[in-house]
Amino acid sequence: GTGYQSTDDVDPRYLKPKRWFRTSAGFMTFVLIAMTLCVGWLLVDIDINNLVRRAPFMRRTLTRLTDPDFSTYFVTDPVLRDTVTGAMLETIYMALMATLVGFVFAFPLSFLGARNLMGKGLLGWMIYTLTRAFFNIFRSIETLIWAIIFAVWVSFGPFAGVLALAVHTVAALGKLYSEQVESIDPGPVEAMTAAGARRWQIIAYGVIPQIIPSFLAFTMYRWDINVRMSTVIGLVGGGGIGRMLFHYKNDLHWEKVGAVIVMIVAVVWSMDYISARVRERIT
């Protein structure tokens, strides 16, 4: 008599939610995804026929790549005047020096880029905004671009590679560090502020003890990344193993290219394992 109908009296078919492809939102999502894939296929000029047709040429190259010439590890190349082993050591130390330089500059800048430490005043907001803008702008410029810039500036070689990696490392580590500072436990900071501690005392005794393990883990991880990046920037004059890879590739010495790739994979794999174990112990 009240006009109320129990759900027990409703056909169960009307209680089930519609499948996604029967809803307007689901259908439009499908159409948009399909259009995006079609446009992407056309823009990147995918040619499956060319991929299959040129497979025999690639087969010959892969055969030579999988038969590496390991003599290059210890025999000095007459043109580059270096061995693959020596170039790889140079690459590792390039990454190490860039990471250390990046840490030195990123560590103090990270406090300027932390909103919880800069306060709510106009000056603090301006410093925070400029610091974060620096991190975002310099981090968005690829390391290859920095390598080209510094290769022109200080000439080709490992020094240009170190500078390129260092600039990118400062911005990348600074962003990671500042975000870690913003996520600290505010309790000690608030207690020290209420007790009248100065800003440097708050940072030294209330912030740094909380962030040291994470900072060390981020720094180790960045060294691992810089080792991988060092193998690439050598292609544009940054020195290291990339220089030998580029040289052998241009001369079509695919057996030597294969040897260089094996060395890179072995070192990167080892660095990744070691840094992962170290990060586990310090976090």
Side-chain angles (χ1 to χ4, degrees):
T2 59
Y4 175 76
Q5 185 179 15
S6 172
T7 56
D8 296 336
D9 301 329
V10 180
D11 191 333
R13 292 177 299 175
Y14 297 103
L15 295 177
K16 293 181 180 180
K18 292 182 179 181
R19 295 184 178 182
W20 67 270
F21 53 84
R22 291 186 177 180
T23 63
S24 58
F27 177 75
M28 288 302 300
T29 301
F30 174 77
V31 171
L32 288 174
I33 293 175
M35 290 179 61
T36 302
L37 292 177
C38 290
V39 172
W41 184 284
L42 295 174
L43 286 179
V44 300
D45 196 19
I46 294 178
D47 189 351
I48 301 298
N49 180 53
N50 191 36
L51 179 67
V52 175
R53 181 170 50 84
R54 295 185 60 85
F57 298 98
M58 192 60 202
R59 187 183 302 115
R60 290 196 293 268
T61 302
L62 287 175
T63 301
R64 297 176 62 186
L65 278 173
T66 53
D67 184 23
D69 180 9
F70 293 111
S71 66
T72 55
Y73 285 9
F74 308 104
V75 177
T76 302
D77 185 272
V79 177
L80 300 180
R81 299 179 182 178
D82 200 358
T83 63
V84 171
T85 304
M88 194 70 239
L89 287 174
E90 183 179 79
T91 297
I92 294 173
Y93 279 99
M94 282 170 54
L96 176 62
M97 296 303 298
T99 305
L100 291 176
V101 172
F103 170 79
V104 168
F105 285 95
F107 185 81
L109 288 174
S110 64
F111 300 107
L112 302 179
R115 187 190 300 271
N116 57 336
L117 295 184
M118 296 313 299
K120 299 180 181 179
L122 178 60
L123 179 60
W125 178 82
M126 291 179 61
I127 294 175
Y128 165 81
T129 302
L130 291 174
T131 305
R132 279 305 183 102
F134 167 79
F135 292 156
N136 291 330
I137 292 173
F138 280 71
R139 187 171 55 89
S140 64
I141 301 175
E142 284 295 329
T143 312
L144 280 173
I145 305 300
W146 289 117
I148 294 172
I149 293 172
F150 285 113
V152 174
W153 189 346
V154 299
S155 75
F156 297 97
F159 184 42
V162 170
L163 292 175
L165 289 170
V167 170
H168 198 274
T169 299
V170 170
L173 283 182
K175 184 177 185 298
L176 291 174
Y177 288 171
S178 60
E179 290 177 350
Q180 187 62 36
V181 172
E182 289 180 344
S183 63
I184 62 172
D185 181 8
V189 175
E190 293 174 355
M192 295 182 68
T193 303
R198 297 183 178 180
R199 183 63 61 86
W200 69 268
Q201 292 174 321
I202 295 174
I203 294 175
Y205 301 108
V207 177
I208 291 180
Q210 298 189 57
I211 61 176
I212 284 298
S214 298
F215 274 32
L216 292 176
F218 287 145
T219 305
M220 285 294 300
Y221 181 60
R222 186 63 199 187
W223 185 22
D224 179 23
I225 292 175
N226 282 343
V227 170
R228 282 175 279 171
M229 285 187 174
S230 298
T231 63
V232 177
I233 63 174
L235 300 176
V236 292
I241 196 70
R243 181 173 60 114
M244 303 200 77
L245 185 64
F246 188 65
H247 172 70
Y248 291 148
K249 186 268 297 182
N250 284 346
D251 290 345
L252 302 181
H253 293 162
W254 297 112
E255 295 85 357
K256 296 181 179 180
V257 171
V260 173
I261 292 175
V262 170
M263 174 69 79
I264 292 173
V265 171
V267 170
V268 170
W269 199 348
S270 301
M271 287 289 301
D272 181 70
Y273 177 80
I274 294 171
S275 63
R277 298 289 81 77
V278 172
R279 291 198 301 271
E280 287 178 359
R281 291 182 176 273
I282 62 181
T283 53

